C-alpha cells in the first residue's frame, strides 16, 4: 500500500470570475504533519474544503488513502459515486475553527452519533471509543455536558475527539485556534502536538507560526491561489527563500 495518504494534483477552483486555486499540487504521506500558512484570501481554507468534499473542484485529481475522490478525464472534474464518496469520507476527520458541535447533543452523543449511525458500531463499542477519547482529551467528566456548558477550548477538544473517533487515515484542521483566546489556545495546541508525536497524519491550516515551526514536518506557504514555497518546517520559518514568504513571516 502506498504511503501517500493525500494526493491533490493540478487543483483548480473558481468562485465566479475569481480563481481561488490555480493548479495546486500537494501530497501528504502517512504520519506526516503538514502546516498550511499564508495571508487571508490566499486559498488555504478553500484547499482544505476541496480536500474534504465541502467544496467541489473545477478540475484536477484528489486521491485519499488510495481511493480516487475525483478526477478530470476531460475538462471538468468527475466525482466518485455515492457509495465510494461515503467510503472516502470515512477516511478523514475534519476540525473546524468554530467547533461545529451539535448544540442539542451531549458531548457523548456528539462523538458517538456518527459511530453508531454511519459507521454501524454497537452502542457499547461507540461508548468505549468515546470514553477513551474523552480521557485522552482530559474531558471524561464532561461526557454528559452540552456544548453551551463548555469553554471554547473544551468544545474544540470535543471536536478533535469526534474527528478521531472513526480512526481516520488523516485529519484536517481549519485554523483550529482562531476562535479561542491565547489561554485556551494552549490546551488545543497541546492536544494536536500530542497527536503529532503519535504520528497521526494531519494537515493544519494555521496562523500560529511558532506552533507550525515546532510541530509540523513540512510547511506549505500559499498566496494568490498557488503554493509559493514549501519545505521542512523549521527551515521555511527561519530561512525562507522566496521574497513573498519573507515579507509574510516578517509580520510575525
Amino acid at each position: 500500500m502506498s504511503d501517500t495518504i493525500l494526493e491533490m494534483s493540478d487543483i483548480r477552483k473558481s468562485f465566479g470570475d475569481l480563481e481561488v486555486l490555480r493548479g495546486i499540487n500537494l501530497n501528504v504521506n502517512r504520519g506526516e504533519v503538514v502546516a498550511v500558512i499564508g495571508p487571508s484570501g490566499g486559498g488555504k481554507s478553500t484547499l482544505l474544503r476541496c480536500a474534504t468534499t465541502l467544496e467541489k473542484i473545477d478540475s484536477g485529481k484528489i486521491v485519499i488513502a488510495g481511493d480516487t475522490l475525483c478526477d478530470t478525464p476531460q475538462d471538468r472534474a468527475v466525482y466518485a459515486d455515492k457509495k465510494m464518496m461515503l467510503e472516502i469520507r470515512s477516511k478523514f476527520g475534519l476540525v473546524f475553527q468554530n467547533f461545529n458541535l451539535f448544540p442539542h447533543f451531549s458531548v457523548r452523543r456528539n462523538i458517538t452519533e456518527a459511530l453508531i449511525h454511519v459507521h454501524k458500531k454497537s452502542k457499547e463499542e461507540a461508548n468505549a471509543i468515546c470514553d477513551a477519547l474523552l480521557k485522552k482529551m482530559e474531558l471524561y467528566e464532561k461526557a454528559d455536558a452540552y456544548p453551551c456548558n463548555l469553554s471554547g477550548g473544551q468544545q474544540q477538544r470535543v471536536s478533535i475527539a469526534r474527528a478521531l473517533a472513526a480512526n481516520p487515515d488523516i485529519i484536517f484542521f481549519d485554523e483550529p485556534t482562531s476562535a479561542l483566546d491565547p489561554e485556551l489556545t494552549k490546551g488545543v495546541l497541546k492536544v494536536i502536538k500530542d497527536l503529532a508525536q503519535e504520528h497521526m497524519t494531519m494537515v493544519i491550516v494555521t496562523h500560529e507560526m511558532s506552533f507550525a515551526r515546532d510541530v509540523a514536518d513540512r510547511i506549505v506557504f500559499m498566496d494568490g491561489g498557488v503554493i509559493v514555497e514549501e519545505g521542512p518546517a523549521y527551515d521555511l520559518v527561519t530561512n525562507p527563500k522566496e521574497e513573498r514568504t519573507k515579507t509574510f513571516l516578517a509580520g510575525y
Side-chain angles (χ1 to χ4, degrees):
M1 184 180 168
S2 166
D3 259 0
T4 306
I5 294 294
L6 174 67
E7 299 173 54
M8 302 185 79
S9 308
D10 197 21
I11 304 300
R12 294 180 181 275
K13 172 69 180 174
S14 295
F15 295 105
D17 293 334
L18 180 65
E19 194 175 16
V20 181
L21 300 176
R22 302 189 293 158
I24 296 279
N25 294 297
L26 177 66
N27 281 11
V28 179
N29 293 324
R30 187 178 298 280
E32 189 178 24
V33 179
V34 175
V36 184
I37 65 170
S40 297
K44 308 182 301 297
S45 289
T46 300
L47 184 70
L48 219 62
R49 290 176 68 81
C50 289
T52 56
T53 73
L54 293 174
E55 297 282 359
K56 292 201 166 180
I57 64 170
D58 298 329
S59 64
K61 182 177 184 180
I62 302 175
V63 181
I64 296 180
D67 289 331
T68 300
L69 171 65
C70 58
D71 201 354
T72 309
Q74 291 175 322
D75 59 339
R76 299 294 291 176
V78 177
Y79 275 75
D81 62 31
K82 197 173 175 182
K83 185 165 181 273
M84 179 55 82
M85 286 282 273
L86 282 171
E87 173 70 23
I88 291 170
R89 283 189 179 124
S90 74
K91 294 186 172 192
F92 64 78
L94 177 57
V95 177
F96 300 89
Q97 57 187 31
N98 295 322
F99 326 133
N100 279 37
L101 298 173
F102 294 110
H104 55 296
F105 284 2
S106 67
V107 165
R108 178 177 299 283
R109 193 170 170 196
N110 262 288
I111 294 170
T112 59
E113 186 78 359
L115 286 175
I116 294 166
H117 297 289
V118 178
H119 302 290
K120 307 304 179 192
K121 305 275 188 198
S122 69
K123 197 169 180 182
E124 293 71 25
E125 194 178 355
N127 279 323
I129 292 168
C130 175
D131 288 347
L133 284 167
L134 288 178
K135 284 174 186 168
K136 186 186 184 87
M137 300 293 153
E138 299 179 359
L139 288 171
Y140 184 64
E141 74 288 355
K142 301 289 186 185
D144 297 323
Y146 285 80
C148 62
N149 302 127
L150 304 178
S151 72
Q154 289 171 330
Q155 288 186 60
Q156 192 59 295
R157 276 148 53 206
V158 173
S159 179
I160 294 170
R162 181 178 62 182
L164 287 166
N167 195 26
D169 290 278
I170 182 170
I171 296 189
F172 297 92
F173 293 84
D174 188 8
E175 298 188 19
T177 60
S178 67
L180 304 176
D181 66 38
E183 197 57 38
L184 296 176
T185 291
K186 285 179 196 167
V188 172
L189 293 182
K190 181 187 179 298
V191 167
I192 299 172
K193 199 170 189 173
D194 290 346
L195 291 174
Q197 288 170 346
E198 293 168 18
H199 306 293
M200 182 76 216
T201 311
M202 294 184 280
V203 176
I204 307 165
V205 170
T206 183
H207 285 294
E208 303 277 346
M209 290 308 134
S210 56
F211 169 74
R213 179 195 65 209
D214 296 342
V215 174
D217 298 300
R218 178 160 49 106
I219 290 179
V220 171
F221 173 64
M222 283 183 69
D223 189 23
V226 299
I227 292 175
V228 176
E229 183 173 351
E230 64 178 298
Y234 188 81
D235 295 353
L236 189 137
V237 171
T238 56
N239 188 26
K241 294 180 172 53
E242 301 292 331
E243 279 307 316
R244 181 67 191 92
T245 319
K246 289 176 185 174
T247 306
F248 175 76
L249 289 171
Y252 283 88

